[in-house]
Amino acid sequence: MASKRNGKQTVKIQTPVSIASSACIVGPKEGQGPLRLYFDEIIEDEFWGEESWEKAESKLLRETFAKIINKASKTVNDIQYVIAGDLLNQCIATSFGLRESGIPFLGLYGACSTMAESMSVGAMLVEGGFADNLICVTSSHFCSAEKQFRFPLELGGQRPPTAQWTVTGSGGVMLSNQGTGPYIKHVTTGKIVDMGIKDANNMGAAMAPAAADTILTHFKDTGLKPEAYDLIITGDLGKLGKTICDELLRNQDLDISSRYNDCGAMIFDLERQDVHSGGSGCGCAASVLSGFVLNEMKKGTLNNVLLVATGALLSPTSTQQGESIPCIAHAVSISRNLS
Amino acid sequence: MEKILTKQEYVKYVEEKSPKSKLARNMTRAFVVGGLICVIGQLISNLLRTRGFSQEIVSNLTTMIMVFLGALFTGLNIYDELGRFAGAGSIVPITGFANSIVSPAMEFKSEGYVLGVGARMFVVAGPVLVYGISVSVVVGIIYYLLRF
């Protein structure tokens, strides 16, 4: 086995990979949610001065990217790679947003798991000595996602209680071989899990088995116990998916409930904000990570966190053809200490 | 995961676990709002009749006015809020039909007037038109044959 591998799906990051900076910008609805104080910037309207939602999403990603570099007191010339992706067809929010960046670019599609996926690839690149500094960033936009995946915004209709609300927001981090942490310790790459859910309005239930699978595998591969973490946080399972994931794990004799939360259930006030089961989208895990999690780590209230970003790998075409939803979850463990 | 639960078991488990729509509340809202829209239509229709229009013109004018109102309130970003509250109550009346055509037209304006507005305008209402017209043709033929 390759020396850095740690079990079937996990890689141990041995030379320190530090999260040098992070930033996030979110939409107005997220800016009214319970985490509003953690975000770097809250935009006032969904267009943000652009002509289309797609352009607005590109701008979100571009501005977040700039903020990440500024907060690390670096320049574009210090960055060797940018690893990014979004939800739109052909990842146009990302490629148009980073068009003028002039940095080698690796585009990813992991649906809403993109934040953890980009950090996984990024951590391995830095650890392997292929880069000093790189940026992992992702975005989603409620309006552009609705337009692509569902119905026009102005169409009057109701959503089922299991539906989730795509987060308008972008978040990202700079990974560096310098710096004082927090550090990425382990990367557990998920495999595609499809448990036969076909309802695109119930993504939480579709993705929960993938999240449970990755969490189980992470603990099996590393030999760690849930107590090793202050917080195990899934990407965007929402209220229902979170409950299911918790139950699936408990059936496997792994009880994480006391330290478990979900970005989708945290970013909105589920009672007050009419978002049904909670938030979703690439921007959900990205903004909760770079806003809430990393700020709390900086303060010292959180020391060890396992981020498990989840993605539903469907398309409108596959849904129309009656296919079930293949899902994925990638885990990245982050720690304030090196040992 | 499949080793623990089969797909069938999981789908069944999720069905039991998923919260259900609040049927009684939704149906009451749909009934009240749908009824109110019809009352407005009836008022317009009565008003026109007092102006001395024939029944055929009254029907056509009422339809046109209701479609206009549906389109107007869609453009004013009000109809989607109404739809979120009323569900089928605002989808089923003809104002909902107007909403289903105007909303994609607004949504896809950013792709231009030909490939955006023009091509996508019927993305929601298209199936209603196709099958509505097809069924009316079939019914018309049956009616024609039954007359003999």
Side-chain angles (χ1 to χ4, degrees):
Chain A
M1 199 192 283
S3 64
K4 289 168 186 172
R5 290 202 70 81
N6 196 170
K8 201 169 153 230
Q9 286 168 241
T10 305
V11 165
K12 191 166 194 289
I13 304 294
Q14 284 159 357
T15 44
V17 175
S18 175
I19 299 177
S21 73
S22 69
C24 59
I25 304 175
V26 298
K29 196 179 178 87
E30 293 70 21
Q32 292 164 0
L35 301 182
R36 59 186 171 275
L37 296 176
Y38 291 98
F39 303 129
D40 292 295
E41 189 174 346
I42 296 163
I43 61 172
E44 276 170 21
D45 76 300
E46 266 98 359
F47 275 111
W48 207 14
E50 297 292 321
E51 292 157 17
S52 69
W53 295 318
E54 291 78 10
K55 284 185 180 167
E57 188 177 339
S58 287
K59 187 176 172 185
L60 269 177
L61 190 118
R62 184 169 63 241
E63 296 295 326
T64 305
F65 170 77
K67 264 189 201 308
I68 299 167
I69 299 180
N70 284 340
K71 281 174 88 173
S73 309
K74 300 272 183 198
T75 67
V76 173
N77 296 330
D78 301 318
I79 316 296
Q80 276 115 24
Y81 290 104
V82 54
I83 307 170
D86 62 274
L87 287 178
L88 300 184
N89 287 339
Q90 288 78 41
C91 288
I92 53 169
T94 304
S95 42
F96 285 69
L98 298 173
R99 187 162 47 177
E100 280 94 26
S101 69
I103 302 175
F105 163 65
L106 293 168
L108 293 181
Y109 185 79
C112 313
S113 73
T114 305
M115 192 65 239
E117 184 178 4
S118 60
M119 287 171 76
S120 305
V121 176
M124 289 191 263
L125 278 178
V126 174
E127 210 269 354
F130 301 104
D132 296 313
N133 303 297
L134 55 81
I135 285 180
C136 307
V137 62
T138 176
S139 69
S140 58
H141 191 298
F142 173 74
C143 305
S144 60
E146 285 294 303
K147 181 176 173 180
Q148 179 175 303
F149 289 98
R150 295 181 193 96
F151 288 112
L153 279 189
E154 296 302 328
L155 187 72
Q158 288 171 333
R159 300 147 162 270
T162 52
Q164 288 174 256
W165 189 278
T166 307
V167 165
T168 301
S170 173
V173 295
M174 181 189 289
L175 302 185
S176 174
N177 55 10
Q178 305 288 316
T180 52
Y183 305 96
I184 295 184
K185 302 291 278 289
H186 288 100
V187 166
T188 303
T189 305
K191 54 181 191 278
I192 299 170
V193 176
D194 184 342
M195 289 298 283
I197 301 292
K198 293 183 177 179
D199 182 1
N201 274 316
N202 199 351
M203 303 273 220
M207 295 189 292
D213 189 82
T214 299
I215 294 171
L216 265 178
T217 310
H218 175 79
F219 286 114
K220 205 168 139 193
D221 285 355
T222 57
L224 293 169
K225 295 269 170 278
E227 293 73 40
Y229 296 105
D230 311 311
L231 176 67
I232 298 169
I233 188 166
T234 44
D236 58 348
L237 298 183
K239 191 178 160 193
L240 174 66
K242 184 188 163 199
T243 313
I244 294 177
C245 178
D246 196 24
E247 279 192 19
L248 289 175
L249 288 173
R250 239 180 292 174
N251 290 343
Q252 292 296 297
D253 299 321
L254 187 70
D255 188 355
I256 61 165
S257 46
S258 61
R259 55 201 78 235
Y260 174 42
N261 216 331
D262 179 75
C263 301
M266 291 165 74
I267 194 164
F268 293 118
D269 183 333
L270 303 189
E271 303 299 320
R272 206 169 45 82
Q273 290 191 293
D274 194 28
V275 291
H276 300 85
S277 201
S280 68
C282 305
C284 184
S287 56
V288 174
L289 171 78
S290 30
F292 172 77
V293 175
L294 293 173
N295 275 313
E296 288 296 329
M297 291 189 93
K298 207 184 278 174
K299 280 190 230 163
T301 37
L302 293 173
N303 288 310
N304 299 292
V305 175
L306 184 67
L307 169 76
V308 189
T310 42
L313 305 172
L314 80 176
S315 86
T317 308
S318 71
T319 305
Q320 282 164 8
Q321 292 179 352
E323 292 274 0
S324 55
I325 307 171
C327 296
I328 196 149
H330 298 298
V332 176
S333 74
I334 306 166
S335 174
R336 287 184 73 204
N337 311 311
L338 267 178
S339 53
Chain B
M1 270 298 136
E2 265 187 86
K3 285 175 202 150
I4 307 152
L5 277 170
T6 66
K7 284 188 183 182
Q8 287 85 348
E9 282 167 349
Y10 184 68
V11 171
K12 199 163 160 264
Y13 161 76
V14 167
E15 249 168 53
E16 285 163 10
K17 201 87 199 163
S18 300
K20 305 286 176 288
S21 295
K22 292 172 183 158
L23 268 187
R25 190 197 72 179
N26 290 351
M27 279 158 68
T28 313
R29 285 177 174 181
F31 179 78
V32 171
V33 175
L36 278 177
I37 293 173
C38 295
V39 168
I40 295 169
Q42 191 62 49
L43 282 175
I44 292 170
S45 167
N46 288 3
L47 196 72
L48 290 170
R49 201 167 299 139
T50 58
R51 295 287 165 103
F53 291 110
S54 71
Q55 181 57 45
E56 196 185 341
I57 292 179
V58 167
S59 306
N60 288 341
L61 271 181
T62 309
T63 309
M64 283 161 71
I65 292 170
M66 293 309 281
V67 166
F68 168 76
L69 289 176
L72 179 70
F73 284 106
T74 304
L76 293 173
N77 300 348
I78 292 171
Y79 210 89
D80 61 319
E81 299 293 333
L82 183 70
R84 196 181 295 173
F85 177 81
S90 59
I91 293 172
V92 176
I94 200 160
T95 46
F97 185 68
N99 171 249
S100 74
I101 293 173
V102 175
S103 58
M106 289 166 68
E107 184 103 352
F108 292 101
K109 191 167 163 275
S110 51
E111 281 76 50
Y113 284 100
V114 176
L115 295 175
V117 176
R120 305 289 194 100
M121 196 181 236
F122 295 99
V123 76
V124 181
V128 183
L129 291 173
V130 168
Y131 295 109
I133 293 168
S134 305
V135 167
S136 66
V137 167
V138 172
V139 171
I141 292 169
I142 295 170
Y143 176 70
Y144 178 78
L145 293 174
L146 286 179
R147 275 176 37 191
F148 294 107

